[in-house]
Amino acid sequence: MENIVIGVDPHKLSATIEVIDRHERVLTSARFSTDKAGFAAM
């Protein structure tokens, strides 16, 4: 199993999430609104 890091950058109107591997490559990134629909999508 490979080590990964999940980072969350929360703000008032959005939250950005990134997943990186041990070589600091971004595996995926997404931005979500902080309303009910954004939290459901997260």
Side-chain angles (χ1 to χ4, degrees):
M1 183 161 74
E2 186 173 359
N3 292 331
I4 61 169
V5 175
I6 301 171
V8 179
D9 185 15
H11 292 276
K12 187 174 181 177
L13 298 177
S14 68
T16 302
I17 299 174
E18 279 194 345
V19 179
I20 61 172
D21 66 11
R22 64 182 175 149
H23 303 291
E24 298 183 8
R25 289 182 298 221
V26 176
L27 301 176
T28 190
S29 178
R31 180 174 289 177
F32 302 93
S33 60
T34 55
D35 58 8
K36 192 172 184 176
F39 286 118
M42 205 180 312

